[in-house]
Amino acid sequence: MTLMHDAPRTAIRAERLTAHLGAELFDVDLAAVAHDDELFAQLRGLLTEHKVLFVRDQPISRADHVALARRFGELEDHPVASSDPDHPGLVQIYKDLDSPAEHYENAFHCDATWRECPPFGSILRCVEGPAVGGDTIWVDMVAAYNALPADVRTRIEGLTARHSIEASFGAAMPAEKRAGLHALYPDAEHPVVRTHPDTGEKILFVNAFATHLTNFHTPDNVRFGYDYAPGASELLNYLVRQASVPEFQVRWRWTPNSFAIWDNRCTQHYAVQDYWPAVRRMERAGIVGDRPY
């Protein structure tokens, strides 16, 4: 594959934004990266290192947005949000003044863990945003796992959790439609601690889509019924709350044609909904991932 743009190759410059995760990129044209092996290899390496990448002033086409995401893998639609009709997999997250009130994005979550194979990652673009507000927060779940007390890390090793679209997106639907959504996307079960396939790092892998621990009720964990209910749910809630620790976070203020590229396997994010009555329109290309282990 050859370079499709006239600009010469240069090393992509990355400036770290926090001690744990996040870097802003400079000297980069994402349209060029979408069509050049060497530039893409640089980008992929920086993503592995920093977990989430940010870049401003990228007025690229939707076709190049999709082409860049497809360098990582195939794209996936969302069963609730619509996609651009000319670019399947480019999900439109449009919040207008007449948009229905909903609160799915403003919870710390890892995208689509209700799938058996949650996304590898996403590339998100700000098409239009408020003058202030509407930031997004990302969280390093490797750092969150490493900071857990040693006895908690021992206790959760080998545990699995159930993740549900029915209990999240489906909960606001009429019963029949909710049941239909569950039939199409049955609850998925994932390890509470997953391993990053590229780095081998341990990741705390529970979030707002996790409903309960599925293999907690064993003789080692349960002496009395209270150890399981509410004991197991209290443990899960404690683990989910780790994403809210500021020391593990980076916060990004959007501007038009700014992008975020993140590794969904080892991060969570939270879209701050503090901008009404302004408009916020985002377009996201989500990349198919593998089964967590």
Side-chain angles (χ1 to χ4, degrees):
M1 187 174 291
T2 58
L3 185 67
M4 301 292 291
H5 294 258
D6 294 330
R9 284 188 182 89
T10 57
I12 300 172
R13 182 165 57 92
E15 292 189 2
R16 295 174 63 194
L17 297 178
T18 74
H20 284 301
L21 84 163
E24 185 171 358
L25 303 184
F26 301 90
D27 304 323
V28 60
D29 173 2
L30 292 182
V33 177
H35 301 283
D36 184 89
D37 293 340
E38 182 180 324
L39 291 173
F40 177 74
Q42 288 186 47
L43 185 78
R44 178 71 182 258
L46 290 168
L47 181 62
T48 301
E49 179 180 359
H50 297 289
K51 301 181 177 68
V52 55
L53 305 174
F54 305 103
V55 58
R56 297 196 187 275
D57 301 323
Q58 299 287 314
I60 69 174
S61 67
R62 287 187 173 94
D64 280 332
H65 184 172
V66 167
L68 176 61
R70 285 202 171 118
R71 295 299 300 259
F72 291 97
E74 292 301 314
L75 305 190
E76 62 182 25
D77 290 323
H78 193 281
V80 177
S82 61
S83 289
D84 181 88
D86 297 323
H87 301 92
L90 190 62
V91 175
Q92 299 170 320
I93 308 172
Y94 291 178
K95 301 297 175 63
D96 300 315
L97 299 185
D98 58 351
S99 296
E102 49 86 348
H103 301 282
Y104 299 116
E105 293 180 87
N106 59 339
F108 287 107
H109 65 285
C110 177
D111 281 336
T113 54
W114 38 264
R115 295 186 187 271
E116 288 189 7
C117 296
F120 160 90
S122 289
I123 301 180
L124 180 64
R125 174 189 199 158
C126 176
V127 177
E128 180 182 358
V132 293
D135 299 352
T136 303
I137 299 166
W138 277 265
V139 192
D140 183 346
M141 299 311 294
V142 174
Y145 172 78
N146 290 335
L148 288 172
D151 64 312
V152 174
R153 294 200 303 270
T154 299
R155 191 179 186 196
I156 64 178
E157 190 67 33
L159 288 181
T160 56
R162 192 71 55 83
H163 297 245
S164 175
I165 190 174
E166 179 192 16
S168 49
F169 287 94
M173 297 177 178
E176 184 176 344
K177 189 173 181 181
R178 174 169 56 81
L181 186 67
H182 177 76
L184 288 173
Y185 299 96
D187 293 352
E189 190 170 314
H190 301 305
V192 169
V193 180
R194 73 172 293 181
T195 301
H196 197 288
D198 298 331
T199 67
E201 294 173 306
K202 298 293 186 181
I203 303 158
L204 182 59
F205 198 64
V206 288
N207 67 91
F209 291 121
T211 58
H212 62 282
L213 301 173
T214 52
N215 62 340
F216 185 86
H217 201 303
T218 66
D220 289 336
N221 290 330
V222 179
R223 305 158 301 151
F224 314 104
Y226 287 120
D227 290 343
Y228 174 68
S233 61
E234 289 171 345
L235 175 59
L236 177 60
N237 288 335
Y238 168 78
L239 297 173
V240 168
R241 285 198 303 272
Q242 300 308 302
S244 65
V245 176
E247 281 79 358
F248 309 145
Q249 299 174 358
V250 62
R251 183 166 179 148
W252 178 249
R253 171 166 286 186
W254 294 99
T255 52
N257 289 323
S258 59
F259 279 75
I261 305 169
W262 71 91
D263 187 334
N264 194 61
R265 301 167 296 181
C266 58
T267 63
Q268 292 186 34
H269 55 282
Y270 181 118
V272 182
Q273 294 188 15
D274 60 350
Y275 50 88
W276 197 91
V279 169
R280 185 177 185 267
R281 295 190 177 100
M282 315 291 283
E283 294 179 350
R284 185 187 73 197
I287 302 147
V288 173
D290 298 324
R291 186 187 298 273
Y293 62 88

